[in-house]
Amino acid sequence: MSCHVSEGSVDLYEVVGLLAAATAAGWVDAVVGGGGVLLIPVLLLAFPTYSPAVALGTNKIAAVMGTATAAYMYQRRTELDRSVLLPAAGLAIPFGALGALSASSVPASYFRPVIMGLLITVALFVAFRPDFGVQQRNITVTPRRRNTAILVAGVGIGFYDGVFGPGVGTFLIISFTTLLATQFLESAAMAKVINASSNLGALAVFAWQGNVLWVLGLGMAVGNIAGAMIGSRTAMKRGSGFVRVVLVLVVTGMVAKMGFDQFA
């Protein structure tokens, strides 16, 4: 299918704003996920005449590059459970694509109340459990737990990333920390691999549908990569305690943003 959207005329101030937003989104995404909450609204404001699918598709170019960069940075210094990552990443690609195929038929308003409820629960749980994700827990990771983590990450969250997306990294971090007893830093590293895979599957569909502004998206990818490099280095230097604080702050911001979109 040929591309049916055009970059149009974007002034210098909009370009600078989009690049700055992409860089900030890359940093946030590398640490705890949720970069799309920053970048997608900026794209919608910059191109108000285009459908939301164009914002989602263009965002996926930057997201693929940024999450892949963060995944590479993390795997150099963090031990990753490949017995979970490889099958989950393999599932995230087709289910991310399936979610993208469903994006136009499932209104975002259907997701917001449920996702807001989940994010509030996550924020309260992490806030009132100061040792969660920071200290190693004595939990036996059974094959059942591993298989559950694979299905939750690859199928459930992979599909959600394609169809809507906000909070994917956060949900992956919480899922891995809960099911595999990993610390936040290791969970964030694993989340980037799955997120890169689901982004890739979704991008393929949005590109096939023609819902991608390629020049703009590739430009934003440069900023997203820079933000991802800085964010992953910061997280690895500061550790799981830092990731925990940023996670609570980002989740609070996502809930506020979704609440405004839902009820404003």
Side-chain angles (χ1 to χ4, degrees):
M1 183 178 293
S2 62
C3 183
H4 60 257
V5 294
S6 169
E7 313 285 319
S9 59
V10 184
D11 63 38
L12 179 61
Y13 294 106
E14 288 179 325
V15 171
V16 171
L18 286 166
L19 290 176
T23 303
W27 188 93
V28 171
D29 219 32
V31 179
V32 294
V37 176
L38 292 174
L39 196 49
I40 291 173
V42 175
L43 282 165
L44 290 172
L45 286 173
F47 298 95
T49 60
Y50 288 148
S51 72
V54 175
L56 293 173
T58 304
N59 171 68
K60 287 301 178 187
I61 304 178
V64 165
M65 301 292 189
T67 50
T69 299
Y72 172 74
M73 297 289 292
Y74 276 121
Q75 66 85 29
R76 294 172 60 194
R77 294 180 54 185
T78 307
E79 184 177 350
L80 304 179
D81 189 344
R82 285 173 171 76
S83 67
V84 172
L85 277 184
L86 293 180
L91 288 168
I93 294 174
F95 278 92
L98 184 61
L101 283 171
S102 307
S104 60
S105 60
V106 183
S109 59
Y110 287 11
F111 285 97
R112 286 196 189 103
V114 176
I115 301 305
M116 284 172 59
L118 288 173
L119 287 171
I120 291 171
T121 302
V122 165
L124 292 174
F125 182 79
V126 173
F128 289 101
R129 290 282 300 275
D131 60 335
F132 180 73
V134 178
Q135 298 180 2
Q136 190 69 42
R137 293 179 297 149
N138 295 321
I139 293 177
T140 301
V141 182
T142 62
R144 183 175 181 178
R145 277 180 171 268
R146 289 181 185 277
N147 291 336
T148 301
I150 290 169
L151 291 175
V152 168
V155 177
I157 299 179
F159 177 82
Y160 167 72
D161 189 25
V163 76
F164 189 42
V168 164
T170 303
F171 293 137
L172 285 167
I173 290 172
I174 295 299
S175 298
F176 288 139
T177 304
T178 302
L179 293 168
L180 304 179
T182 51
Q183 295 187 27
F184 278 143
L185 185 60
E186 184 180 351
S187 297
M190 295 175 68
K192 293 305 103 187
V193 177
I194 307 303
N195 203 180
S197 301
S198 59
N199 279 332
L200 183 61
L203 175 60
V205 171
F206 285 123
W208 173 70
Q209 293 174 332
N211 290 319
V212 176
L213 301 175
W214 286 101
V215 175
L216 180 64
L218 289 171
M220 291 192 306
V222 175
N224 209 257
I225 289 171
M229 293 179 69
I230 297 170
S232 55
R233 285 174 177 168
T234 304
M236 288 186 287
K237 181 179 179 180
R238 302 291 294 273
S240 293
F242 171 76
V243 175
R244 177 183 180 275
V245 172
V246 176
L247 187 147
V248 173
L249 292 175
V250 169
V251 167
T252 302
M254 284 193 288
V255 170
K257 174 65 172 62
M258 288 186 184
F260 178 81
D261 291 342
Q262 185 72 18
F263 301 112

